[in-house]
Structure formats: structure tokens, C-alpha cells
Amino acid sequence: MGASIVKEYDVIIIGGGVIGCSIAYELAKQHKQVAVLEQGEISSGASRAAAGILGAQAEIDEEGPLLQFALSSRELFKNRVNELREVTGIDAELIEKGVLKVATTEDGLEELKRKFSTYKKWDPSVEWLTTSELKKREKMLSSIIKGGISLPNDGQLNAFKYTKALAYGTAVYGGDLYEHCHVSQIIEENGCVKGVTTSQGTFATSSVVVTTGAWTSKLLPYVTEKKVYPVKGECMLLKSNKPILKHTIYTPEAFYIVPKAGGKLLVGATRTPHTFDRDVTFGGMSKLFEKAKELIPELSHSVFLKSWTGLRPQTDDGWPYLGESPYMKGCFLAYGHYRNGILLSAKTGELMRDLINGTQPKEHFFNAFSPERAYSLKGG
């Protein structure tokens, strides 16, 4: 390969967010020699910014492969969080109190009513709630809310701690974590992966997994014609000295208020596509404050703790890419999970583990996310 080799691995994962760490953890448990290369710090990107909603039903309201993917991943979290607590001592703070998806306009109400029967078909425990029924469950909710749906099997966790637990779990099983390690090139010979060139030297491997989210096109601009792009989301954290909320509140516009430990409430998120700018704006915060106060007037008395942004990786058709690159043998892709990276991470780890080990995943929905679809959609 030209340069002197620092170390050789079975699999090298580029990107230390929740997707990369989940894949690394699954492989390390099988005693593969795994390295995670992260250009910043582990869980410093979209995974740190995420609200941690496991909203398989709150987020995805159309039947098909993405919903099947989301539901199968959501089922894994209870065991995964307990397992990681045992292995690492890190508690990812899984909360399974459900999500209330609510409407504040007549149009929003009609949309939820139209979709209620579909929600019910997926999950018989889903309920329709009137304004008064919602207020019985969450007394601080505003009367402006017209009605909503209870999704008792959706949940939430601490995304940052969960990603850290996956990373430390990888290390417990013998994997190596390289932070502040910029990957400049994937080395190939005759169309096959041979290693990677980085700011910390050259590493040899026959399998690379690209999990670089919104930055994927910067590393591999030729991987697919369906470009992945960043969608900036601004969030904020509030704190109340009295109980405000038990359930996560979610609206059809993908606005949410998520109750966290110690009276904290995470509010998000704005959406600004096609920018790598990570500044928090006055306009963005104003929108979040106004919407939060509209849903829960009592929040106007809460204390503002902090704000931040995340760059969520979106694709042209809204679905992630999972599979081997059509350009390079041994180069595996797992990116473009957009707002559902945390939710989909558990199943992504298992699917990519199997694929890298040479076993085609048995899940019938897996092929829908193949990188090949960028070409099949165009007929070639």
C-alpha cells in the first residue's frame, strides 16, 4: 500500500456516531478485530444532538420497508440497553412511557384521524384521545390541542449515553477507538478495499464500513448518485422545578418535547436543509419557544439551560443506504438515517454485522435500502 502500516484490522468503521458504534459493537462481540475512526470525538455529531426518541410509529406513518425496519429495531432496545449497562456500567436511561402524537390545528387533526386506523392496524394498543382525555394524562397540556393518538410502545433514551455505551462496549470486547482521526482516503486495489489513509497513519483491512452521515459525500462523492445531505436541526433544553410532563409529545410537523431526568425537557427541532452551518439562531430558538409554549403554557416559567444543533443525514428518497458499495468490494455503506438514526441503529448493527460476515440478512425489508436502488430507480 505504499505507506507503513500502523495496524491491521478485520473491519474498520469510519464514523463514531450511533450507527458506526452499533455496527462495531456487534462485530466486536463476535471477536472480530474492529477499529472505529472518528474525526472528532465519539458521539460528537448528530448522535450527541439527538433527542433519543424511539418513535417507530410517531415518526413513520406509512406502511412499507422503513416502518418494518423501525419496528424491528425498536424491539431490540430493552435488551440492548440492559446488556450495555452490564457490560459498560453506562445507563442509557431508557424510558418506555409512550408518545402522545397531538394536533393543534383542524388540518392536523384530520390528518391524524385519517391515519389512526393504520396506526391501530400496526399496534392494537394505540388509542385515539380527545382533548379532555389528553389533559387527563398530561394536565399541563394546552386546550389548543384538538386531539391526538397514544402510542404506548414508542419510547426514548439518552442518545449520547447510549452511543458512548456502544463505543465502550466495543472496547470491552477488544475493539479500538481512534478519536480525532481524519480519514482522507480508502485504499483500493483492483476494485477491492485494502485499507485507509488517516491523520494517524495507514491502517490495513479488507472491509471498511462508511458511517459518516451527512459528511459521506465528502469522503466518497462517487458512491451513489443519490447524494446524502445535511439537515440542520436546532434544539434546546429547559428545566422546571415542578413536574411538567410524563410522555413525549410529538406533532405531525415533527416538533417534539421530550421529558428527561431531573425535570429537564428537550425541545426540538428546526429543519434547515443543505447546510453544514452549526450556529444556533435567534429565529430558530424563537420558533421552538413559541411552539413549546403553545403546547404547554407552563413552560414559559421554565429555565433555559442550553441550545445546540445537529446535522442529520438525509437522502433524496428519505431512506438510508445499507449494503456493499457497487463500486468497491469490501466497502460497506450505512448512512442516511436522517431523524431516525438512534431508533434504527440497533437493527442496523445486526444487519450490517451479518452482511460483513458474508451472510445475506434474512429480513425481507433489507434489500429496499440497497445502494443499488440509486440506479434501479433510473432503469439501469
Side-chain angles (χ1 to χ4, degrees):
M1 291 190 295
S4 60
I5 297 169
V6 175
K7 196 168 179 180
E8 185 169 354
Y9 291 96
D10 296 328
V11 184
I12 288 176
I13 290 154
I14 307 172
V18 71
I19 299 297
C21 290
S22 186
I23 297 167
Y25 179 69
E26 291 296 333
L27 289 167
K29 280 199 296 182
Q30 294 187 330
H31 309 294
K32 297 287 185 182
Q33 291 297 307
V34 180
V36 177
L37 313 183
E38 166 55 41
Q39 65 178 348
E41 296 177 355
I42 296 293
S43 191
S44 61
S47 301
R48 175 172 289 193
I53 302 171
L54 305 176
Q57 292 167 291
E59 281 269 9
I60 302 159
D61 50 20
E62 291 183 8
E63 290 190 271
L66 188 60
L67 177 65
Q68 293 158 12
F69 187 7
L71 290 172
S72 65
S73 194
R74 188 184 67 183
E75 289 177 10
L76 301 175
F77 273 91
K78 189 160 194 171
N79 287 339
R80 185 65 44 80
V81 167
N82 290 338
E83 177 185 305
L84 287 168
R85 189 190 303 112
E86 289 296 316
V87 171
T88 70
I90 299 173
D91 181 8
E93 299 171 5
L94 178 65
I95 296 173
E96 297 179 289
K97 293 185 178 178
V99 172
L100 299 177
K101 192 167 185 177
V102 304
T104 57
T105 66
E106 290 298 336
D107 286 346
L109 185 68
E110 290 306 311
E111 180 187 345
L112 281 185
K113 282 181 176 177
R114 282 194 302 272
K115 291 180 174 176
F116 174 64
S117 59
T118 310
Y119 281 105
K120 190 80 173 175
K121 185 165 64 174
W122 304 336
D123 182 352
S125 63
V126 168
E127 295 177 83
W128 179 262
L129 301 175
T130 64
T131 304
S132 60
E133 288 169 335
L134 281 165
K135 285 178 71 67
K136 284 178 185 175
R137 300 198 184 192
E138 293 289 358
K139 63 181 180 180
M140 295 291 185
L141 285 179
S142 167
S143 297
I144 195 174
I145 293 171
K146 310 289 186 183
I149 299 172
S150 167
L151 304 167
N153 293 314
D154 278 351
Q156 54 126 329
L157 47 63
N158 185 311
F160 176 67
K161 289 185 177 181
Y162 178 64
T163 306
K164 282 287 193 182
L166 289 167
Y168 291 148
T170 298
V172 168
Y173 285 110
D176 291 337
L177 309 174
Y178 294 85
E179 295 185 308
H180 307 290
C181 183
H182 174 71
V183 177
S184 56
Q185 182 186 7
I186 296 175
I187 303 165
E188 63 172 304
E189 289 180 14
N190 301 319
C192 298
V193 168
K194 294 297 180 183
V196 294
T197 304
T198 83
S199 58
Q200 295 185 29
T202 299
F203 299 88
T205 187
S206 58
S207 296
V208 163
V209 192
V210 178
T211 67
T212 45
W215 284 268
T216 300
S217 62
K218 294 181 179 294
L219 176 66
L220 295 174
Y222 56 85
V223 162
T224 172
E225 292 177 9
K226 290 278 184 181
K227 297 292 188 185
V228 64
Y229 59 90
V231 179
K232 175 183 172 182
E234 297 166 78
C235 298
M236 64 183 182
L237 192 67
L238 308 176
K239 187 175 189 307
S240 173
N241 290 325
K242 60 181 178 180
I244 294 279
L245 200 59
K246 297 188 291 290
H247 303 81
T248 293
I249 304 299
Y250 199 94
T251 74
E253 307 80 41
F255 174 86
Y256 47 78
I257 305 174
V258 187
K260 297 294 185 180
K264 296 175 183 176
L265 298 121
L266 194 158
V267 180
T270 62
R271 278 179 285 178
T272 309
H274 301 289
T275 179
F276 283 94
D277 165 46
R278 297 182 72 167
D279 289 337
V280 175
T281 65
F282 177 78
M285 288 298 101
S286 296
K287 288 177 185 176
L288 295 182
F289 275 120
E290 288 304 313
K291 187 66 177 177
K293 193 169 67 171
E294 178 185 52
L295 291 173
I296 305 177
E298 185 66 28
L299 286 179
S300 60
H301 303 296
S302 62
V303 175
F304 174 80
L305 294 180
K306 64 178 180 177
S307 61
W308 64 93
T309 59
L311 300 177
R312 297 160 294 189
Q314 177 64 303
T315 60
D316 282 5
D317 63 6
W319 286 10
Y321 284 103
L322 302 176
E324 191 168 13
S325 166
Y327 294 96
M328 196 188 312
K329 187 170 176 57
C331 180
F332 298 90
L333 312 174
Y335 66 87
H337 294 70
Y338 191 37
R339 287 198 307 256
N340 296 305
I342 304 298
L343 167 65
L344 298 176
S345 64
K347 194 64 181 179
T348 297
E350 293 189 350
L351 293 168
M352 296 306 293
R353 172 203 66 201
D354 291 347
L355 190 67
I356 292 161
N357 285 335
T359 303
Q360 180 67 18
K362 63 183 182 301
E363 288 78 4
H364 59 278
F365 58 77
F366 177 72
N367 286 338
F369 304 102
S370 168
E372 300 285 355
R373 75 181 187 273
Y375 307 96
S376 61
L377 287 173
K378 297 181 179 181

